[in-house]
């Protein structure tokens, strides 16, 4: 592939979410990103998606677009490999598009016909009315957003939420960094004898001494702690691996840069990984899910219970089922998404 000329095109998208997404930084109404299209001299085409989340420590769309404009329309794989590591989402997009041509280890490594998916529950009391229908569909792993309302109210609701779950179910709690240490301790005490699979990001990554607090909590309580916002790109993964983090790594491949080496490091360290959506479109999700299917470590339910996210189904991934099948992933059609943006 060396020296090969590739034609690089890109299209920006702005897609309103069907329902605004609540984040620690306020309501998020629309997703914006860039789809890239690479074509080689033989007419083979690969697509990729850069779906930045700047408050997650990624580049902005403008930065990704500016770098694409500098690259221009004709590029070599060497030029693509030289895109700076800080442009994580763009690197993920280009790596995904290039993977379509090449060795295609991702599909060869495909080792499961389907993977379970965690059902997303609304924050607060809203969760209670959602559980029954998701149980009916077959979901057995649930994720509840916490740290949104008053801590006393949410703690009081926990047993009501658990009470709605069939036996053998698991509940993930995602605080998105909303708590301080004392609040996190109250939750982890409460979680201890309950079917809580893990508590995700109890402390914000930019809180004072956040890494020490997270390590302390992981040592003091039996419920595993998952890092999400604390992991932005390969250097954070390396840092937590070096610190022998005993908990879970929530991996949003779309924010990782070139994901293959990072995942290889995690696999080598036998890390406990949850693959998760960055609310990207079907283009980026296809690449992310292929990586999840290629993962050979312990499998936890995917954090891809997010769709339908958009009004046009061509941008959505598979939804409504407690499992994603590898054939559902292969059926995702990046070309249709690209065409819809013309
Ligand atoms: Mg999270």
């Amino acid at each position: 592939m060396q020296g090969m000329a590739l034609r690089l095109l890109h299209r920006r998208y702005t897609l309103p979410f069907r329902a605004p997404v609540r984040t620690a930084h306020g309501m998020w109404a629309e997703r914006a990103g860039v789809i890239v299209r690479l074509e080689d001299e033989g007419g083979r085409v690969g697509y990729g998606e850069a779906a930045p989340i700047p408050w997650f420590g990624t580049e902005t769309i403008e930065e990704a677009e500016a770098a694409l404009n500098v690259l221009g329309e004709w590029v070599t794989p060497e030029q693509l490999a030289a895109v700076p590591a800080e442009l994580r989402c763009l690197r993920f997009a280009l790596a995904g598009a290039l993977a379509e041509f090449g060795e295609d280890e991702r599909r060869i490594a495909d080792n499961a016909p389907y993977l379970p998916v965690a059902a997303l529950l609304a924050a607060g009391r809203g969760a209670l009315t959602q559980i029954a229908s998701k149980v009916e569909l077959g979901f057995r792993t649930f994720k509840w957003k916490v740290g949104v309302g008053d801590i006393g109210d949410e703690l009081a609701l926990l047993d009501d939420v658990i009470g709605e779950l069939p036996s053998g179910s698991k509940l993930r709690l995602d605080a998105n960094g909303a708590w301080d240490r004392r609040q996190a301790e109250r939750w982890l005490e409460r979680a201890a004898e309950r079917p809580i699979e893990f508590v995700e990001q109890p402390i914000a990554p930019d809180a004072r001494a956040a890494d020490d607090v997270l390590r302390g909590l992981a040592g003091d309580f039996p419920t595993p702690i998952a890092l999400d916002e604390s992991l932005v790109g390969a250097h954070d993964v390396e840092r937590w691996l070096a610190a022998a983090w005993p908990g879970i790594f929530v991996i949003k491949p779309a924010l990782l840069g070139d994901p293959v080496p990072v995942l290889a490091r995690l696999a080598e360290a036998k890390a406990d990984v949850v693959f998760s959506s960055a609310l990207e479109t079907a283009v980026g999700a296809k690449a992310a899910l292929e990586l999840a299917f290629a993962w050979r470590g312990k499998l936890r339910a995917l954090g891809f219970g997010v769709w339908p996210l958009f009004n046009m189904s061509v941008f959505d991934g598979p939804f409504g089922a407690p499992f994603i099948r590898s054939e559902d992933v292969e059926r995702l059609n990046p070309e249709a998404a690209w065409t819809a943006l013309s």
Side-chain angles (χ1 to χ4, degrees):
M1 229 162 46
Q2 210 159 13
M4 179 175 68
L6 299 166
R7 187 172 185 218
L8 172 62
L9 300 176
H10 58 97
R11 286 178 183 164
R12 182 169 176 155
Y13 67 82
T14 305
L15 301 167
F17 290 124
R18 289 161 60 105
V21 176
R22 192 200 297 259
T23 77
H25 299 260
M27 296 307 271
W28 190 12
E30 59 187 24
R31 191 66 168 108
V34 183
I35 307 293
V36 301
R37 179 186 189 276
L38 281 174
E39 183 171 355
D40 72 5
E41 287 157 336
R44 287 185 304 176
V45 174
Y47 295 92
E49 177 176 359
I53 310 181
W55 62 85
F56 229 98
T58 75
E59 76 269 36
T60 63
I61 296 158
E62 289 72 21
E63 287 164 338
E65 272 191 317
L68 285 163
N69 289 330
V70 168
L71 283 166
E73 193 174 338
W74 293 96
V75 296
T76 62
E78 293 72 32
Q79 283 175 293
L80 298 181
V83 169
E86 298 76 51
L87 301 173
R88 293 183 182 88
C89 298
L90 179 57
R91 289 200 45 116
F92 173 78
L94 296 170
L98 272 176
E100 297 286 310
F101 301 145
E103 314 71 272
D104 226 346
E105 279 167 40
R106 296 183 190 195
R107 261 171 235 151
I108 293 163
D110 200 348
N111 57 4
Y114 57 82
L115 295 176
V117 180
L120 259 190
L121 302 176
R125 188 163 284 283
L128 295 174
T129 55
Q130 295 177 324
I131 295 172
S133 63
K134 295 190 190 278
V135 168
E136 186 82 359
L137 286 167
F139 286 96
R140 290 299 179 269
T141 303
F142 300 84
K143 173 166 154 169
W144 189 34
K145 289 268 179 196
V146 288
V148 174
D150 174 78
I151 184 169
D153 294 347
E154 286 184 347
L155 278 166
L157 268 175
L158 177 63
D159 282 337
D160 295 340
V161 171
I162 291 171
E164 294 289 318
L165 304 178
S167 68
S169 300
K170 291 177 188 157
L171 182 64
R172 303 172 173 181
L173 303 174
D174 189 356
N176 292 112
W179 298 326
D180 61 25
R181 181 184 194 135
R182 182 66 203 119
Q183 291 172 320
E185 286 170 350
R186 283 179 70 189
W187 272 98
L188 285 160
E189 276 160 25
R190 191 67 66 92
E193 304 100 51
R194 289 172 170 79
I196 306 300
E197 184 186 12
F198 55 76
V199 172
E200 191 168 321
Q201 201 69 45
I203 302 288
D206 55 359
R208 199 156 60 89
D211 288 13
D212 291 340
V213 174
L214 287 164
R215 274 195 292 269
L217 293 171
D220 289 347
F221 296 94
T223 305
I225 294 175
L227 303 176
D228 183 4
E229 284 85 348
S230 284
L231 299 177
V232 181
H235 65 284
D236 283 329
V237 171
E238 282 301 333
R239 187 162 55 83
W240 288 98
L241 284 176
W245 173 244
I248 291 149
F249 293 75
V250 175
I251 294 296
K252 293 179 162 74
L255 307 185
L256 267 191
D258 183 351
V260 171
V262 186
L263 290 168
R265 283 286 297 127
L266 286 159
E268 189 188 341
K270 301 204 164 31
D272 193 344
V273 166
V274 173
F275 284 86
S276 189
S277 165
L279 307 189
E280 63 278 348
T281 76
V283 179
K286 183 173 190 177
L289 286 165
E290 283 174 355
L291 293 163
F293 273 89
W295 176 254
R296 291 180 180 278
K298 176 176 179 176
L299 286 174
R300 291 181 183 267
L302 301 170
F304 278 86
V306 296
W307 296 296
L309 270 177
F310 308 109
N311 291 315
M312 286 178 70
S313 62
V314 73
F315 295 109
D316 276 323
F319 60 87
F323 297 95
I324 291 179
R325 299 170 300 172
S326 64
E327 63 200 80
D328 299 331
V329 176
E330 291 318 307
R331 205 176 290 130
L332 293 174
N333 187 349
E335 187 180 1
W338 173 261
T339 306
L341 293 173
S342 64

